Amino acid sequence: MSENCTHNCSTCSSNCSSRKAESMLKEPHKNSSVKKVIGIVSGKGGVGKSFTTALLASLANKKGKSVGVMDADVTGPSIPHAFGVKDHATGSEEGIDTVLTPSGIQLMSMNLLLDDETMPVIWRGMVISGTVMQFWTDVVWKDVDLLFIDMPPGTGDVPLTVFQSIPLAGIIIVTTPQDLVEMVVKKAVNMANIMHIPVLGIVENMSYLTCPDCGKKIEVFGRSKVEKIASEYAIPATAKIPLDKKIAEYADEGRIEDYETDVLNEIFSQIENAPEIQKA
C-alpha cells in the first residue's frame, strides 16, 4: 500500500494489498457532504470512548469546524444525553435529518429514533451493522468537515463494517491505565493495521487524579502506559485525560460542550493533518 494512500480505491490505479477490502466502501447519502471521517474505538467497554468522542467533537466545533457525530453504539447510545439532545430525528423520502446540539453539532443516534430512550434495542449483529450503515447511506450530513464515529467496544461486527464500508481517515483509540486494557488496546491497534486504517492517536482516560490540596498527580489505576504503547506501534500522538468530577457533572447535565480542556490538542492536530475523502 502506498504511504500516500487516501483509502479510496475509486481514485487509484495501484494494485495494492488494501484494494480488496477498500472495494467494499459505500457511498454516503447523495445530499451529504463529508470531508473527513474519524473513528473512535476501544478494545473494551467502560473506558470513556463516548466521552472522548464528545470532547473531540466539541473541540473541533470550537475551532471553527463543521462537525457531525455518528453514534454507532446502537445498543448503548449515550451521545445524545451527553450533549443534552432530546429531540427526535425526522426525515422524508429525501433522507433522514440529523439533530443539532446547542452549539450546532450534527448528531445521529439510535436514541434519536426511539419513542422511549430507555427501551432496549434487542437486535442481532447483522441488523445492528445494517443500521450503522444506514447512518452513513441514508442520513443527510450537511457540509461536515469532520464526522466522528463513536463505535461500540471490541473488534466485532460494527467496527468491521465501519472499517470496510466507510472511508476512514484514521482512528483514535481510547484506553485506561490498567494492564488488562493494555492487552485489548493492542488488539484494536492490530485490527486497524490489518484493515489498513491509520491509528492517529491514543487517549488514556482516567489517567490520573490531581490532588485538590497539593496539586500532585495521583495515578489511581496504575502507572500510565500510553506512551509505551504509542512508541511500540509508532502512533504519533497521545493524550491523558484526568479523573475530574466536572466531567461527570457536565455529561450528566447534557453540557459536555461547555467542558474546557487542552489535553486533546495534539490528537486534534493529527486529525487535522489526516487526508480528506477524495471525490471520484
Side-chain angles (χ1 to χ4, degrees):
M1 182 177 65
S2 167
E3 61 184 32
N4 295 318
C5 180
T6 62
H7 307 287
N8 186 347
C9 290
S10 64
T11 65
C12 179
S13 60
S14 299
N15 188 24
C16 66
S17 60
S18 65
R19 173 165 290 279
K20 184 176 180 181
E22 295 298 337
S23 67
M24 299 175 67
L25 288 174
K26 303 294 185 183
E27 291 292 327
H29 189 278
K30 64 181 181 179
N31 294 327
S32 288
S33 175
V34 179
K35 291 182 179 178
K36 193 180 301 186
V37 186
I38 304 295
I40 313 298
V41 308
S42 64
K44 66 181 295 296
V47 298
K49 175 179 45 57
S50 296
F51 165 68
T52 302
T53 302
L55 277 189
L56 282 170
S58 299
L59 175 61
N61 187 55
K62 291 169 184 174
K63 290 182 177 291
K65 302 294 185 181
S66 174
V67 182
V69 178
M70 180 195 298
D71 189 354
D73 194 353
V74 173
T75 61
S78 55
I79 287 293
H81 184 86
F83 284 98
V85 172
K86 297 185 179 298
D87 294 336
H88 285 87
T90 59
S92 65
E93 293 181 356
E94 292 299 313
I96 305 170
D97 294 322
T98 58
V99 178
L100 298 181
T101 71
S103 71
I105 296 173
Q106 300 176 46
L107 300 187
M108 180 48 60
S109 171
M110 194 66 209
N111 263 13
L112 302 178
L113 301 171
L114 297 175
D115 291 332
D116 180 357
E117 66 177 16
T118 65
M119 289 300 295
V121 176
I122 309 174
W123 293 345
R124 294 191 183 276
M126 289 184 62
V127 179
I128 294 173
S129 296
T131 299
V132 171
M133 282 314 306
Q134 286 185 290
F135 287 173
W136 175 247
T137 60
D138 295 6
V139 172
V140 180
W141 299 96
K142 299 177 181 178
D143 299 317
V144 170
D145 296 320
L146 283 172
L147 176 63
F148 293 95
I149 303 182
D150 179 20
M151 286 194 258
T155 56
D157 286 344
V158 170
L160 180 61
T161 296
V162 171
F163 278 25
Q164 290 182 322
S165 304
I166 298 178
L168 294 174
I171 64 169
I172 305 298
I173 296 176
V174 184
T175 181
T176 52
Q178 296 97 324
D179 286 335
L180 171 63
V181 177
E182 179 182 4
M183 179 268 292
V184 293
V185 164
K186 291 180 178 181
K187 287 182 181 291
V189 173
N190 287 328
M191 179 182 182
N193 291 338
I194 290 169
M195 301 299 296
H196 306 290
I197 305 295
V199 181
L200 303 178
I202 301 181
V203 175
E204 186 176 74
N205 191 28
M206 297 179 277
S207 183
Y208 60 89
L209 171 69
T210 301
C211 176
D213 296 322
C214 68
K216 179 181 178 180
K217 292 183 178 180
I218 304 168
E219 295 179 316
V220 179
F221 296 114
R223 181 165 297 178
S224 173
K225 300 173 180 63
V226 67
E227 285 96 352
K228 172 177 175 288
I229 299 172
S231 176
E232 182 177 348
Y233 288 91
I235 296 168
T238 62
K240 297 179 182 180
I241 299 177
L243 277 165
D244 183 354
K245 69 176 184 178
K246 288 185 178 179
I247 292 173
E249 291 174 0
Y250 277 63
D252 287 346
E253 294 170 3
R255 297 171 51 228
I256 201 66
E257 291 166 300
D258 296 334
Y259 186 76
E260 298 289 343
T261 179
D262 60 2
V263 299
L264 294 171
N265 286 342
E266 185 180 354
I267 296 281
F268 184 74
S269 293
Q270 293 298 320
I271 292 172
E272 283 195 301
N273 293 330
E276 295 183 359
I277 296 172
Q278 299 297 310
K279 301 298 183 182

